[in-house]
């Protein structure tokens, strides 16, 4: 075999190897997509829930101004990768995550407790994979009485009103003297 023929074969093999590498890199099973997520703000922490079922190879990395989430999961076993530049600073050592069958919940401890985050990300960009979790959202900045939860305040109010004996009798069925236009006797059904 001539030297030129040998070089030609080497070139072909290297092109074939490059093509295989390209196919593997572009393959749908290897493409990383962003996982959908919901977030909400609290006085001392920000919570982010990544909605991916049956996660495998889960990696969550907390940095002072960044959150990196990656996993394989969902019905199609897709690879997910989310890198979030955060609005404010967090304490990476005190931040945690919890995996369930349906999602991964991350608790990001704020460096500045009591500072509100108007958004999760540093930039004011609309991310199609990120939404506000309105079911858990609370305007905690307006709370003037932090030591009582709403239930505690309600219970305290009910206790201060007195017991059952103090309640007035308000059953209109017992009061025959009241004349109401719809209290006329109804005819019997046949």
């Amino acid at each position: 075999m001539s030297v030129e023929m040998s070089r030609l074969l080497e070139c072909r093999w290297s092109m074939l190897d490059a093509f295989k590498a390209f196919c593997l890199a572009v393959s749908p099973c290897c493409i990383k997509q962003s996982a959908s997520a919901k977030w909400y703000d609290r006085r001392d922490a920000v919570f982010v829930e990544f909605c991916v079922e049956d996660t495998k190879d889960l990696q969550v990395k907390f940095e002072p101004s960044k959150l990196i989430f990656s996993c394989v999961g969902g019905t199609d076993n897709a690879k997910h990768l989310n890198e979030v530049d955060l609005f404010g600073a967090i304490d990476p050592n005190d931040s945690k995550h919890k995996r369930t069958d349906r999602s991964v919940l991350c608790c990001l401890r704020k460096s500045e407790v009591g500072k509100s985050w108007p958004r999760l990300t540093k930039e004011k960009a609309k991310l199609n994979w990120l939404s506000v979790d309105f079911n858990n959202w609370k305007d905690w900045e307006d709370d003037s009485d932090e030591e009582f939860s709403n239930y505690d305040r309600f219970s305290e109010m009910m206790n201060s009103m007195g017991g059952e004996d103090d309640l007035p009798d308000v059953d209109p069925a017992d009061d025959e003297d009241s004349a109401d236009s719809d209290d006329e006797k109804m005819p019997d059904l046949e």
Side-chain angles (χ1 to χ4, degrees):
M1 201 184 323
S2 71
V3 174
E4 288 181 58
M5 185 63 115
S6 170
R7 284 186 186 160
L8 184 60
L9 286 175
E10 278 182 47
C11 183
R12 259 193 188 168
W13 283 110
S14 64
M15 286 176 58
L16 185 59
D17 289 340
F19 180 74
K20 285 180 186 177
F22 172 78
C23 288
L24 288 174
V26 176
S27 168
C29 69
C30 296
I31 294 175
K32 293 183 180 183
Q33 59 190 19
S34 297
S36 64
K38 301 183 290 186
W39 79 283
Y40 60 97
D41 185 27
R42 288 290 191 264
R43 184 172 302 284
D44 60 342
V46 172
F47 293 87
V48 182
E49 182 177 16
F50 292 97
C51 305
V52 181
E53 295 180 0
D54 302 323
T55 57
K56 298 175 219 127
D57 303 328
L58 175 65
Q59 293 180 354
V60 180
K61 185 176 181 185
F62 302 106
E63 295 178 3
S65 61
K66 192 174 202 172
L67 168 65
I68 302 170
F69 170 85
S70 69
C71 72
V72 175
T75 55
D76 54 354
N77 274 332
K79 290 186 179 183
H80 298 280
L81 175 66
N82 297 63
E83 291 188 37
V84 184
D85 290 322
L86 300 170
F87 175 80
I90 62 168
D91 181 2
N93 298 325
D94 201 21
S95 298
K96 300 180 185 338
H97 71 278
K98 180 181 179 182
R99 180 191 168 278
T100 66
D101 289 342
R102 298 179 102 0
S103 65
V104 178
L105 181 65
C106 298
C107 174
L108 312 174
R109 292 288 173 191
K110 293 180 181 178
S111 292
E112 294 181 52
V113 174
K115 183 179 179 188
S116 174
W117 286 23
R119 60 186 177 276
L120 180 65
T121 60
K122 187 176 189 175
E123 301 296 322
K124 277 189 175 183
K126 172 69 176 143
L127 303 172
N128 62 352
W129 56 267
L130 183 64
S131 64
V132 175
D133 187 352
F134 287 108
N135 291 332
N136 289 307
W137 190 268
K138 179 182 171 191
D139 284 332
W140 51 264
E141 291 178 312
D142 298 334
D143 287 349
S144 59
D145 191 11
E146 291 179 46
E147 63 221 32
F148 291 112
S149 68
N150 287 337
Y151 179 77
D152 292 335
R153 282 186 239 155
F154 179 75
S155 296
E156 184 178 297
M157 180 185 72
M158 292 304 289
N159 289 337
S160 69
M161 291 178 72
E164 231 177 79
D165 297 334
D166 297 337
L167 293 176
D169 186 15
V170 291
D171 189 8
D174 294 339
D175 191 13
E176 293 185 24
D177 294 336
S178 69
D180 198 358
S181 64
D182 63 349
D183 286 345
E184 297 174 10
K185 185 171 174 153
M186 298 290 293
D188 293 333
L189 296 174
E190 295 181 11

